[in-house]
């Protein structure tokens, strides 16, 4: 497994397609709903195998000079529990440190809280309910 930043139009297309498949399609959301207006200002990374097949994605956005936010993290259902998510997080935590950020926040879906706790994030508070059905929780990690 390699963690890398997408660099070609084809890699970006595959990146966004996986993001949609994991984070939006299961709830019937249309293609395109996996993007927002901040894409060009963020760091994107993806997990690929030796053949270049993509199976994990993550995005880092800088909220202010000290704080970053992990967003749009997703791992293909068949590759979960194999260290992919932890590797993606570590990659982005290192990117955040390079940018002199001192903390990362994220809004975890309820079923992902334990994963983030195992990766050193602290549960701060219940945050928002997405699409009237997916409860999210604010979490933070000091870098």
């Amino acid at each position: 497994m390699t963690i890398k930043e997408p660099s070609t139009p084809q890699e970006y297309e595959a990146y966004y397609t996986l993001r949609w498949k994991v984070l939006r399609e299961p709830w019937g959301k249309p293609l395109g709903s996996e993007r927002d207006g901040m894409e060009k200002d963020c760091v994107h990374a993806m997990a690929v195998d030796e053949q270049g097949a993509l199976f994990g994605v993550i995005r880092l956005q800088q909220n202010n000079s000290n704080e970053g936010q992990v967003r749009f993290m997703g791992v293909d259902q068949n590759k979960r529990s194999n260290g992919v998510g932890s590797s993606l997080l570590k990659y982005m935590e290192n990117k955040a440190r390079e940018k002199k950020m001192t903390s990362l926040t994220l809004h975890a879906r309820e079923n992902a809280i334990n994963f983030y706790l195992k990766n050193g994030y602290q549960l701060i508070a219940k945050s928002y309910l997405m699409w009237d059905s997916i409860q999210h929780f604010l979490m933070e990690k000091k870098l």
Side-chain angles (χ1 to χ4, degrees):
M1 171 180 60
T2 301
I3 307 297
K4 62 180 259 174
E5 295 177 34
S7 61
T8 67
Q10 295 82 7
E11 286 179 341
Y12 273 103
E13 193 56 39
Y15 168 90
Y16 287 121
T17 298
L18 181 63
R19 210 158 91 172
W20 172 75
K21 283 179 104 51
V22 173
L23 301 174
R24 298 297 189 260
E25 183 183 34
W27 287 269
K29 301 303 173 188
L31 196 58
S33 63
E34 77 285 355
R35 303 179 195 211
D36 66 19
M38 297 185 67
E39 301 298 340
K40 64 178 175 31
D41 299 321
C42 297
V43 178
H44 304 271
M46 55 192 201
V48 297
D49 66 17
E50 296 77 26
Q51 290 76 39
L54 172 65
F55 52 85
V57 295
I58 190 170
R59 186 181 96 176
L60 172 66
Q61 76 182 41
Q62 191 158 354
N63 290 340
N64 59 51
S65 61
N66 299 320
E67 180 189 278
Q69 184 176 352
V70 172
R71 299 200 60 207
F72 298 107
M73 182 169 159
V75 175
D76 183 275
Q77 184 72 32
N78 299 322
K79 295 287 190 172
R80 293 183 187 160
S81 301
N82 290 317
V84 176
S86 295
S87 294
L88 286 165
L89 275 177
K90 284 180 184 32
Y91 183 89
M92 283 309 190
E93 289 166 5
N94 288 332
K95 286 291 177 183
R97 286 183 190 97
E98 287 173 16
K99 293 178 175 291
K100 308 294 187 222
M101 296 178 203
T102 57
S103 68
L104 284 178
T105 61
L106 56 85
H107 293 272
R109 293 178 182 195
E110 194 164 11
N111 65 348
I113 290 173
N114 286 333
F115 164 77
Y116 289 112
L117 289 171
K118 288 176 188 174
N119 280 279
Y121 288 77
Q122 293 183 310
L123 182 60
I124 305 298
K126 187 184 262 191
S127 56
Y128 65 91
L129 189 64
M130 181 182 243
W131 306 317
D132 297 323
S133 62
I134 307 170
Q135 185 60 59
H136 283 71
F137 294 82
L138 177 63
M139 300 186 80
E140 180 181 43
K141 182 175 184 176
K142 300 293 184 192
L143 300 176

